[in-house]
């Protein structure tokens, strides 16, 4: 049987992911990310306040399915275990208030976005990115994620950022999770459904990529996490999943080779 790493396509995708991941995770492991990471931004956008959490969270939400699934290939499994350990160390560095790489969870509105991606990553990889964390780190993560709840999201896909944060809190057993934030997001997006797998991003339709990397993934993972809590959520679960499946077909036919 051919090793996964002898498969050229698989090797290309794996190498590409780890090329992106390694600088971020290794620097966070050494707690030198803020010291070493260049921040490129348009003048006046103040991205230096947000870029470190953005780098960690958006990396982990993409890596999470790979981190969570035990590989059948021995070589790849060694890599997976190594990067899962680095990912946990990175989460520790970013949420420990005494760390030089402690990240911004509470200043301005942008942290709502990237905290949601961190919460989503944990929903996608609960074993590797939550259950294997020390109790101390788990408490820090919960404190950091709750810090975003002092601000309201924009009336758009941001509703799902609040929803996925609450779904995470429910998942980890926090009694203070807020079903109203989830209910609002789920029902509002049901009203924003345009047909054929497409949701509007807010009151007006945007022809962009938000259906693919925010709206469908977060709706599906929120409903799969909390969908049994209320009957009206359960009633929407099947349609949310079928819409996501239809959108996946559209993506495949739009972007895939023929």
């Amino acid at each position: 049987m051919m090793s996964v790493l002898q498969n050229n396509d698989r090797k290309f995708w794996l190498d590409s992911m780890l090329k992106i991941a390694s600088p971020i995770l290794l620097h966070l492991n050494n707690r030198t990310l803020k010291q070493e990471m260049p921040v490129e931004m348009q003048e006046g956008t103040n991205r230096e306040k947000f870029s470190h959490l953005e780098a960690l969270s958006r990396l982990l939400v993409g890596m999470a399915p790979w981190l969570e699934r035990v590989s059948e290939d021995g070589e790849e499994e060694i890599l997976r275990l190594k990067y899962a350990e680095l990912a946990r160390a990175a989460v520790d560095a970013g949420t420990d208030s005494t760390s030089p790489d402690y990240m911004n969870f509470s200043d301005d509105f942008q942290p709502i976005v990237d905290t949601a991606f961190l919460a989503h990553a944990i929903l996608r990889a609960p074993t590797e990115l939550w259950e294997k964390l020390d109790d101390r780190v788990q408490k820090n993560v919960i404190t950091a994620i709750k810090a975003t709840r002092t601000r309201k999201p924009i009336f758009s896909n941001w509703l799902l950022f609040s929803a996925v944060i609450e779904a995470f809190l429910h998942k980890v057993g926090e009694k203070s999770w807020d079903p109203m934030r989830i209910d609002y997001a789920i029902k509002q997006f049901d009203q924003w459904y345009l047909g054929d797998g497409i949701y509007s991003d807010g009151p007006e339709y945007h022809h962009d990529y938000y259906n693919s990397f925010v709206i469908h993934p977060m709706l599906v993972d929120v409903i799969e996490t909390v969908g049994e809590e209320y009957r009206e959520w359960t009633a929407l679960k099947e349609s949310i999943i079928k819409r996501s499946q239809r959108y996946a077909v559209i993506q495949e036919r739009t972007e895939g080779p023929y």
Side-chain angles (χ1 to χ4, degrees):
M1 178 178 174
M2 180 175 66
S3 166
V4 167
L5 298 187
Q6 292 175 312
N7 179 311
N8 288 336
D9 288 343
R10 179 73 173 181
K11 187 176 188 304
F12 171 80
W13 285 110
L14 187 60
D15 287 349
S16 298
M17 178 180 70
L18 299 184
K19 182 179 180 180
I20 296 167
S22 293
I24 298 167
L25 297 184
L26 289 171
H27 276 302
L28 281 168
N29 186 59
N30 295 327
R31 302 202 170 191
T32 55
L33 184 70
K34 288 187 177 181
Q35 175 183 321
E36 299 294 337
M37 188 180 102
V39 177
E40 297 180 4
M41 60 183 173
Q42 185 177 347
E43 186 177 352
T45 57
N46 299 321
R47 299 302 299 180
E48 71 275 3
K49 294 197 298 183
F50 314 123
S51 292
H52 306 97
L53 179 58
E54 184 176 46
L56 173 64
S57 299
R58 299 193 190 214
L59 171 68
L60 291 186
V61 79
M63 290 185 75
W66 178 73
L67 293 173
E68 188 73 356
R69 185 179 183 276
V70 176
S71 177
E72 297 177 0
D73 179 84
E75 291 180 73
E76 185 171 345
E77 179 63 5
I78 290 170
L79 285 172
R80 186 190 72 85
L81 291 171
K82 172 186 174 181
Y83 277 87
E85 186 173 356
L86 285 172
R88 291 190 291 273
V91 170
D92 183 10
T95 59
D96 178 358
S97 61
T98 67
S99 165
D101 281 330
Y102 180 63
M103 296 173 181
N104 171 22
F105 294 92
S106 58
D107 183 10
D108 215 325
F109 286 86
Q110 180 64 29
I112 298 172
V113 179
D114 297 308
T115 300
F117 282 115
L118 178 59
H120 196 191
I122 295 171
L123 290 182
R124 286 177 161 181
T127 301
E128 296 296 338
L129 294 181
W130 184 254
E131 294 171 14
K132 292 185 180 181
L133 294 178
D134 295 341
D135 289 346
R136 172 188 60 82
V137 182
Q138 288 183 351
K139 289 176 183 176
N140 286 341
V141 171
I142 290 170
T143 299
I145 284 177
K146 281 184 174 181
T148 65
R149 298 164 97 196
T150 58
R151 283 138 295 144
K152 78 171 188 66
I154 298 167
F155 192 53
S156 66
N157 69 86
W158 280 45
L159 297 180
L160 289 169
F161 299 146
S162 287
V164 82
I165 285 168
E166 299 305 318
F168 158 79
L169 293 171
H170 172 274
K171 176 76 173 179
V172 302
E174 281 294 297
K175 294 181 180 179
S176 64
W177 73 284
D178 183 1
M180 188 64 190
R181 299 182 196 216
I182 294 174
D183 191 65
Y184 185 28
I186 290 172
K187 291 178 179 175
Q188 187 60 67
F189 269 91
D190 194 50
Q191 293 180 46
W192 285 340
Y193 185 62
L194 301 176
D196 203 27
I198 306 294
Y199 290 96
S200 175
D201 183 3
E204 296 183 0
Y205 174 62
H206 297 254
H207 189 69
D208 54 29
Y209 49 88
Y210 277 83
N211 265 273
S212 63
F213 96 112
V214 173
I215 297 171
H216 281 292
M218 289 193 176
L219 269 175
V220 168
D221 284 343
V222 165
I223 205 68
E224 289 191 336
T225 301
V226 302
E228 303 305 316
E229 290 294 320
Y230 293 93
R231 282 181 293 179
E232 62 264 39
W233 295 356
T234 305
L236 287 170
K237 184 174 181 179
E238 183 178 0
S239 63
I240 287 172
I241 291 172
K242 283 186 175 179
R243 291 167 183 175
S244 181
Q245 291 168 339
R246 173 58 186 157
Y247 189 73
V249 171
I250 292 171
Q251 281 192 296
E252 180 66 23
R253 292 178 179 175
T254 302
E255 302 169 10
Y258 286 90

